[in-house]
Amino acid sequence: MSYVKPKFHHPSLKPNKVGYNKADYEGVISTLCAGCGHDSISGAIVQACYEISLEPHRLAKLSGIGCSSKTPTYFLSNSHGFNSVHGRMPSITTGANMANRDLIYLGVSGDGDTASIGMGQFVHAIRRNLNMVYIVMNNGCYGLTKGQDSATADFGSISKAGESNPYQGIDLAGLALELNATFVGRSFSGDKNQLVPMIKAAMAHPGFAFLDVISPCVTFNNNKTSTRSYSHVRAHIESTSIFDFVPEQDEIRVDYPEGKSAEVELFDGSKIHLSKLAPDWNPTDRFSAVNRLHEAKSRGQILTGLYYINTESKDLHEMMNTVDTPLNTLQQKDLCPGNSKLQSINKTFR
Amino acid sequence: MKETNIEDPEYFHKVVDCQYACPAHTPVPEYIRLIAAQKYTEAYMINWESNVFPGVLGRTCDRPCEPACRRGRVEDEPVAICRLKRVAADNKGEVKHLMPQGPFKSNGKRIALIGGGPASLTVARDLAPLGYELHLYDEWGKGGGMMRTQIPAFRLPESVLDEEVNYILDMGVVTHFNTFVESMKEILDKDYDAVFVGTGAPKGRALELPGFKEAGENIHVGIEYLAAVAFEHKDKIGKNVIVLGGGNTAMDCCRTSKRIGGEEVTVVVRSPRKDMKASPWEIEDAEREDITILNNMPPKEFIVEDGVLKGMLFGKVRAEYDENGKRKLIPTGEPDVFIPADDVIIAIGQDNSFPWIERDLGIEFGKWDLPKVDELTFQSTRENVFFGGDAAFGPENVITAVAHGHHAAVSIDLFCNGENIHDRPSPITNLVSQKMGIHEWTYDNAIAHDLRFKVPHEDKAISLKDRKVEVELGFDEQLGFKEAQRCLNCDVQTIFTSNLCIECDACVDVCPTDCITFTHNGEEEDLRTRLSAPAENKTQDLYVSGVLPATPRIMIKDEDVCLHCGLCAERCPTAAWDMKKYLYNTAKTYL
Ligand SMILES: Cc1cc2nc3c(=O)[nH]c(=O)nc-3n(C[C@H](O)[C@H](O)[C@H](O)COP(=O)(O)OP(=O)(O)OC[C@H]3O[C@@H](n4cnc5c(N)ncnc54)[C@H](O)[C@@H]3O)c2cc1C
Ligand SMILES: Cc1ncc(C[n+]2csc(CCOP(=O)(O)OP(=O)(O)O)c2C)c(N)n1
Ligand code: SF4
Ligand code: SF4
Ligand code: SF4
Ligand SMILES: [Mg+2]
């Protein structure tokens, strides 16, 4: 059993613009079950951060409890991190974000951590449009506690335990759309070509960016009768578009077929390029996204890709009109206007 | 691309870079693991079976394996493969009882071996156990060829050579030492069933510049000089010595001179430093002994006064290369340089020489008076005469001579049995899983950065006094262990079973060197650019699977910088990857 990953890297993979190799974005070797979808999502996060040349100290990763919430140990060892309490990642992130608006916040949660115990926190983070990336590693079960059905498990899905799920599953992406989240998408751990650019775009989005990532639990929920198994997902997947994220300075690389391509410009000047595969869908029209999602579901299909983006997104700091300087760096002299100012204020009440 | 045929014995053989590069295809990682396990005797025997002279080669091999070593592609320097071989030889126990035991039952066939170097000795070792009566002819009093006459004792102690030569001679070889064969016809008249010619490239080139004749005895031809010193016919040289030439012979000549009276020893080379033929480590060793090496100075004239050699005159040049890399030496116009010398040693190359082979025997000769020899069978144009070693295609090295010997022995055996000598026996291969339990392997798969360890040397003050004192001390057991741990176990292969794969990407994510990709098939050119990391090293193969069960994709693994760490197999939930040890042995006559 290996406990460390060798520090060698492929000689043709060069350091990125800030001088880091891909390995510099990795964490310790994973202790999750071999083949867990969560590890692939970790891999996609590593890839995305390497490609956008993120300086690791610019990011904070936060999580709750669950196999999914353990993953921050397996990526970005050189970033800030907080492994919080079950379902409480959103409130910890809210606090951190309020104190220091200069960091990029990456919240990692599971379907149990979010759709059950953490549901209240989740919806309020959306309501506040907290500037963060919120990734749910969605395996339809509580992996860490041996695979009980979670609240997102599909009706009728049968996990390894053998019981058909009698309840309706909660569609977290549908819920996020309903709650007016400003960036909503769904992806699959086994599709890095789509997932990596989606993570990059989510990081560039100013506001709450939600990614529901289907991530098979290889140990408890990867049997043929489960709707979250590798084989079921692969057989039923379809996407809204071919997706590419183009950072501000870069040239567009992919040639999209005429007529079907769309471009969404983000706040920081970077662009999302889409080659639409779904008719009647417009990434900036929430209703078309909701319709599209329901339509796919009615056909038993799993719709992936970007669903919706609000290009006018205003995050919590903007709504509250806080100062640009992170609050945690404000000194007493900035916060306390002094005695004479106090006197003059008092005067106005006399 | 087509699905890789891993049944082809050469596919995984190529992945074991060192073994593939070794002319005798020694199973390198296998013996290195045994050294790490302190099983020196076993490690020695693996070597002995392939390369016949582990003690000699562990000190002197040209080591074509090392530039090929994978470690050199992922780190700075290759594993010290050659010097590890010596660790096995130095620390082994009794080995003779593990070798084929004579007396062997005669098969009634008689073979003549002309020349007693590594090529002939290898033929002898491979044929003796089959009952052949072997007659070995050499002009010198002992076997070993140039290993004895040329490689100086401070690089190769006589005792080491004697031991390994004797293992072979003791198998019942009939020796005709102190016998220079003057006529091939006479040999053929003795009705041998086959004749093997392993006479090397015994003629050193001279350089007849103005003053050559007048300088007389103080000009020496390198290989004659070294042989004279080896046989103690010569034990003195002047204080100022010039050695001409930039190859390994020049390095041996200058270092020998330093030990028998030379004080100011200067090697003068026509060409630039980077074009010198000598191995970098030989140059380094010479310079460590305070020998001056001067480059870009072609020799012009021997300066002789009153019948006594005074020194030499050299011109000065610079090298220019055209677009094809062809070199031209252009005089710089600077004045010629005089270097004083009491003796000059010419070490500018050696040639084959077959004055003793009559040209009417059906043995044809081609370019440069080299015999026409088949590159696979080593047969000459006369069916019962075979060539090998330096005699076949010109000067090479010991390990190449050994490899030739193995091939020639196979041919001779087939020939004597009336079989088609082009029907070569296949290599013996074996592929076995190294799994001992979940995530437990039989080999140490933890890989770390570790720079190459240096072989300790004897104190210069001691080794320069006596030409028989060995300069290199060799790795001790501890250093040997540490160096052995640098080996990446390239013979433990990653084997992929496509119908088990569920495409979870775990192997792709964990692979430290981004070797694995799942993608759509295409032409090799295009595929090489679309992998997790571009596969730019075209000398290394891509391992391509069949179409996967779940998606119409294929698995492609770039063999180039795989660390053989086994992480892919540890992270695979379905055991679609397994780590299997691949043993490859070239077929030999008696195995
Ligand atoms: C100075 C020097 C240093 C070298 N150092 C190394 C080294 O460090 N590592 C390495 O791998 N290689 C080295 N080599 C090369 C290596 O020695 C040869 O490539 C190798 O020995 C060739 O083996 P062989 O069996 O073909 O012939 P040889 O070793 O040359 O043996 C041929 C033998 O046949 C004898 N012979 C020739 N003609 C006749 C005849 N007509 N009758 C009877 N006997 C005859 C010769 O005297 C000789 O003893 C060195 C060579 C030189 C010159
Ligand atoms: C307050 C609290 N309640 C219950 C638990 C037990 N528990 C641990 S993980 C988990 C569910 C995790 O499921 P999910 O978030 O989907 O993560 P997964 O392991 O599937 O990735 C539960 C219920 C706990 N740790 N803390
Ligand atoms: S139990 Fe399931 S979710 Fe947890 S690590 Fe194993 S496969 Fe992944
Ligand atoms: S053994 Fe597997 S994980 Fe290790 S380097 Fe090779 S392909 Fe990658
Ligand atoms: S880890 Fe195994 S099952 Fe998963 S993609 Fe690799 S080979 Fe296939
Ligand atoms: Mg879960």
Side-chain angles (χ1 to χ4, degrees):
Chain A
M1 172 89 172
S2 302
Y3 302 99
V4 277
K5 193 166 161 175
K7 284 280 167 231
F8 295 91
H9 64 88
H10 199 294
S12 70
L13 285 184
K14 300 290 179 242
N16 62 15
K17 283 183 199 148
V18 290
Y20 291 108
N21 287 308
K22 203 174 119 190
D24 297 322
Y25 294 92
E26 289 176 348
V28 302
I29 210 164
S30 172
T31 60
L32 299 186
C33 306
C36 176
H38 299 354
D39 280 336
S40 277
I41 304 174
S42 299
I45 292 169
V46 167
Q47 186 72 29
C49 292
Y50 163 71
E51 286 179 10
I52 62 171
S53 294
L54 176 90
E55 293 167 299
H57 70 273
R58 293 262 297 109
L59 184 138
K61 44 184 186 168
L62 300 101
S63 62
I65 296 294
C67 298
S68 36
S69 294
K70 282 173 71 180
T71 58
T73 311
Y74 316 131
F75 58 80
L76 298 176
S77 274
N78 298 315
S79 297
H80 308 280
F82 198 119
N83 187 196
S84 75
V85 194
H86 205 12
R88 269 54 181 167
M89 177 273 282
S91 54
I92 303 289
T93 313
T94 308
N97 189 320
M98 284 297 97
N100 183 1
R101 64 184 296 172
D102 273 1
L103 294 181
I104 295 170
Y105 290 93
L106 174 63
V108 175
S109 179
D111 44 328
D113 195 59
T114 291
S116 293
I117 194 168
M119 189 60 128
Q121 302 228 334
F122 172 63
V123 295
H124 288 283
I126 297 178
R127 188 175 69 93
R128 291 176 177 138
N129 200 24
L130 187 66
N131 187 9
M132 73 178 295
V133 179
Y134 193 117
I135 293 180
V136 169
M137 301 183 173
N138 192 341
N139 53 14
C141 71
Y142 296 173
L144 192 68
T145 55
K146 305 276 172 281
Q148 300 83 351
D149 286 340
S150 76
T152 69
D154 290 316
F155 173 79
S157 176
I158 305 173
S159 75
K160 194 169 150 194
E163 290 291 324
S164 169
N165 178 26
Y167 310 113
Q168 288 299 328
I170 295 172
D171 185 325
L172 288 171
L175 180 65
L177 282 175
E178 180 57 36
L179 294 174
N180 258 318
T182 51
F183 182 115
V184 182
R186 172 167 287 147
S187 191
F188 171 41
S189 66
D191 186 1
K192 284 214 185 65
N193 287 343
Q194 184 192 60
L195 181 54
V196 171
M198 275 179 68
I199 293 171
K200 292 197 241 175
M203 283 184 174
H205 175 73
F208 193 85
F210 180 64
L211 292 177
D212 182 27
V213 188
I214 297 168
S215 173
C217 170
V218 74
T219 300
F220 298 112
N221 205 10
N222 191 37
N223 43 302
K224 283 212 171 68
T225 52
S226 160
T227 58
R228 297 285 152 83
S229 64
Y230 281 106
S231 55
H232 181 94
V233 177
R234 285 198 199 285
H236 294 85
I237 202 161
E238 67 177 49
S239 48
T240 55
S241 61
I242 297 169
F243 188 99
D244 195 17
F245 174 75
V246 191
E248 192 186 0
Q249 316 84 347
D250 286 18
E251 286 292 307
I252 296 158
R253 280 168 308 170
V254 192
D255 272 335
Y256 292 113
E258 194 74 37
K260 282 163 108 192
S261 64
E263 188 176 282
V264 182
E265 186 159 340
L266 297 184
F267 173 75
D268 66 356
S270 48
K271 294 186 183 77
I272 293 172
H273 262 265
L274 301 157
S275 169
K276 292 199 283 177
L277 300 174
D280 312 326
W281 167 74
N282 172 354
T284 56
D285 174 358
R286 203 159 60 89
F287 298 111
S288 76
V290 173
N291 285 340
R292 187 72 199 94
L293 176 60
H294 282 288
E295 191 272 325
K297 234 191 253 178
S298 69
R299 287 184 286 115
Q301 292 296 94
I302 302 165
L303 188 69
T304 62
L306 179 70
Y307 289 175
Y308 171 66
I309 180 166
N310 178 343
T311 48
E312 247 98 79
S313 168
K314 283 189 174 43
D315 88 319
L316 184 54
H317 281 284
E318 227 177 312
M319 289 189 259
M320 295 192 347
N321 201 18
T322 54
V323 286
D324 287 345
T325 322
L327 300 185
N328 65 345
T329 60
L330 292 181
Q331 302 298 312
Q332 194 182 357
K333 67 173 178 11
D334 308 317
L335 296 169
C336 174
N339 194 36
S340 60
K341 188 79 190 169
L342 178 68
Q343 296 308 331
S344 70
I345 293 169
N346 280 348
K347 234 183 238 163
T348 63
F349 296 114
R350 292 200 176 105
Chain B
M1 284 183 80
K2 271 220 214 88
E3 184 176 349
T4 302
N5 174 18
I6 60 168
E7 301 288 317
D8 176 352
E10 293 308 308
Y11 181 74
F12 285 132
H13 184 204
K14 239 181 124 177
V15 177
V16 197
D17 298 283
C18 46
Q19 182 176 13
Y20 191 72
C22 172
H25 303 312
T26 307
V28 173
E30 179 75 355
Y31 83 68
I32 291 185
R33 274 189 304 274
L34 288 167
I35 290 169
Q38 294 182 293
K39 294 189 172 173
Y40 304 115
T41 305
E42 290 84 344
Y44 182 87
M45 286 310 294
I46 290 201
N47 272 290
W48 188 78
E49 277 166 19
S50 296
N51 56 50
V52 192
F53 303 99
V56 172
L57 289 166
R59 292 168 164 84
T60 65
C61 189
D62 258 358
R63 14 173 155 155
C65 53
E66 292 191 13
C69 173
R70 184 176 300 260
R71 189 106 197 175
R73 296 202 293 276
V74 295
E75 207 176 60
D76 278 352
E77 287 199 79
V79 175
I81 299 168
C82 175
R83 282 357 184 210
L84 281 172
K85 200 188 307 295
R86 174 172 171 184
V87 175
D90 285 356
N91 295 290
K92 68 182 185 303
E94 174 56 40
V95 291
K96 204 162 177 186
H97 68 285
L98 300 168
M99 298 173 177
Q101 301 296 307
F104 305 103
K105 193 168 161 282
S106 167
N107 69 357
K109 305 257 160 64
R110 294 162 63 247
I111 313 289
L113 308 166
I114 321 291
S120 289
L121 288 169
T122 301
V123 177
R125 190 205 69 172
D126 285 2
L127 293 182
L130 302 178
Y132 286 92
E133 187 179 309
L134 300 153
H135 290 251
L136 182 86
Y137 295 82
D138 194 280
E139 61 176 309
W140 303 102
K142 278 180 149 189
M146 286 198 168
M147 300 190 288
R148 188 180 301 280
T149 62
Q150 297 299 311
I151 302 182
F154 56 83
R155 287 207 288 127
L156 174 61
E158 201 176 3
S159 58
V160 174
L161 179 63
D162 284 345
E163 176 189 326
E164 293 184 335
V165 169
N166 287 340
Y167 288 142
I168 300 166
L169 298 183
D170 290 354
M171 288 179 169
V173 176
V174 183
T175 56
H176 303 265
F177 285 142
N178 300 312
T179 311
F180 185 84
V181 173
E182 303 279 359
S183 157
M184 180 62 132
K185 190 167 177 308
E186 278 171 30
I187 294 283
L188 292 171
D189 285 346
K190 291 185 180 163
D191 279 339
Y192 288 109
D193 291 281
V195 177
F196 176 78
V197 181
T199 49
K203 211 176 87 193
R205 280 186 213 144
L207 189 64
E208 302 199 9
L209 294 171
F212 179 77
K213 290 230 168 65
E214 293 78 1
E217 288 191 346
N218 292 100
I219 298 180
H220 317 267
V221 172
I223 66 172
E224 288 164 14
Y225 168 71
L226 290 171
V229 174
F231 288 108
E232 297 180 348
H233 301 152
K234 183 164 184 66
D235 58 4
K236 246 194 191 63
I237 192 110
K239 282 197 173 123
N240 292 323
V241 181
I242 293 175
V243 177
L244 301 178
N248 285 336
T249 305
M251 297 303 121
D252 282 340
C253 289
C254 66
R255 294 177 71 195
T256 299
S257 302
K258 258 276 171 183
R259 286 162 169 81
I260 59 167
E263 284 171 14
E264 273 305 311
V265 181
T266 312
V267 178
V268 191
V269 192
R270 292 166 64 214
S271 52
R273 178 90 171 202
K274 70 172 184 47
D275 291 353
M276 281 172 68
K277 288 219 180 73
S279 319
W281 56 88
E282 304 248 341
I283 298 176
E284 201 182 295
D285 287 348
E287 289 189 324
R288 206 188 328 233
E289 293 174 357
D290 307 318
I291 288 159
T292 312
I293 299 177
L294 301 175
N295 291 90
N296 298 317
M297 289 172 63
K300 288 198 154 167
E301 191 180 341
F302 297 96
I303 306 293
V304 183
E305 280 171 20
D306 304 329
V308 181
L309 177 71
K310 290 290 170 196
M312 279 193 84
L313 214 51
F314 295 91
K316 286 204 143 191
V317 294
R318 69 188 148 77
E320 270 181 22
Y321 302 83
D322 66 14
E323 61 271 21
N324 302 323
K326 223 183 139 209
R327 190 187 70 198
K328 254 201 198 143
L329 295 177
I330 301 179
T332 58
E334 291 165 85
D336 290 347
V337 179
F338 172 77
I339 300 175
D342 304 313
D343 285 279
V344 173
I345 301 167
I346 305 173
I348 56 168
Q350 33 171 152
D351 293 311
N352 293 64
S353 164
F354 300 101
W356 55 279
I357 300 183
E358 295 82 350
R359 301 300 149 116
D360 58 355
L361 302 171
I363 304 169
E364 287 176 32
F365 285 77
K367 254 213 231 154
W368 298 306
D369 214 26
L370 281 172
K372 287 190 178 164
V373 178
D374 185 293
E375 285 180 27
L376 179 74
T377 63
F378 294 85
Q379 192 177 40
S380 71
T381 52
R382 185 181 165 120
E383 62 168 13
N384 63 339
V385 176
F386 298 80
F387 284 76
D390 290 356
F393 310 113
E396 284 282 349
N397 48 37
V398 174
I399 189 66
T400 304
V402 168
H404 290 180
H406 288 311
H407 290 300
V410 167
S411 301
I412 291 170
D413 188 39
L414 290 170
F415 175 75
C416 288
N417 286 307
E419 287 168 48
N420 180 355
I421 66 167
H422 289 274
D423 260 350
R424 314 298 290 181
S426 322
I428 299 152
T429 63
N430 190 7
L431 191 65
V432 186
S433 176
Q434 299 301 293
K435 196 176 274 192
M436 292 202 301
I438 297 180
H439 304 167
E440 292 296 334
W441 309 104
T442 60
Y443 71 107
D444 189 348
N445 64 325
I447 317 287
H449 278 282
D450 266 320
L451 295 181
R452 181 176 168 122
F453 293 88
K454 286 219 170 349
V455 177
H457 279 206
E458 179 60 273
D459 184 350
K460 206 161 66 178
I462 298 172
S463 67
L464 283 180
K465 269 203 204 104
D466 179 352
R467 71 171 181 88
K468 291 191 174 179
V469 170
E470 193 174 10
V471 171
E472 286 194 10
L473 300 174
F475 288 132
D476 59 19
E477 284 192 76
Q478 260 192 353
L479 271 183
F481 171 76
K482 287 193 193 159
E483 185 62 32
Q485 288 295 87
R486 295 182 69 233
C487 173
L488 296 173
N489 303 289
C490 300
D491 59 342
V492 182
Q493 306 293 346
T494 55
I495 310 280
F496 183 72
T497 312
S498 54
N499 60 7
L500 291 178
C501 176
I502 57 170
E503 296 175 58
C504 67
D505 271 4
C507 53
V508 178
D509 293 327
V510 81
C511 178
T513 43
D514 292 276
C515 303
I516 306 170
T517 309
F518 291 91
T519 187
H520 299 277
N521 207 338
E523 291 304 317
E524 176 163 356
E525 283 278 293
D526 155 53
L527 272 175
R528 280 183 175 272
T529 64
R530 301 201 258 122
L531 305 180
S532 305
E536 285 154 6
N537 181 357
K538 300 221 169 101
T539 65
Q540 292 283 321
D541 285 338
L542 300 180
Y543 177 5
V544 181
S545 80
V547 176
L548 298 166
T551 65
R553 301 186 298 174
I554 51 168
M555 185 291 302
I556 301 179
K557 186 196 155 207
D558 178 10
E559 299 282 11
D560 186 16
V561 291
C562 169
L563 305 170
H564 297 257
C565 65
L567 283 176
C568 48
E570 287 189 18
R571 296 305 295 167
C572 178
T574 64
W577 287 108
D578 193 10
M579 305 304 293
K580 294 190 183 179
K581 184 166 88 181
Y582 184 63
L583 261 185
Y584 177 103
N585 270 304
T586 38
K588 299 183 190 73
T589 49
Y590 72 93
L591 282 175

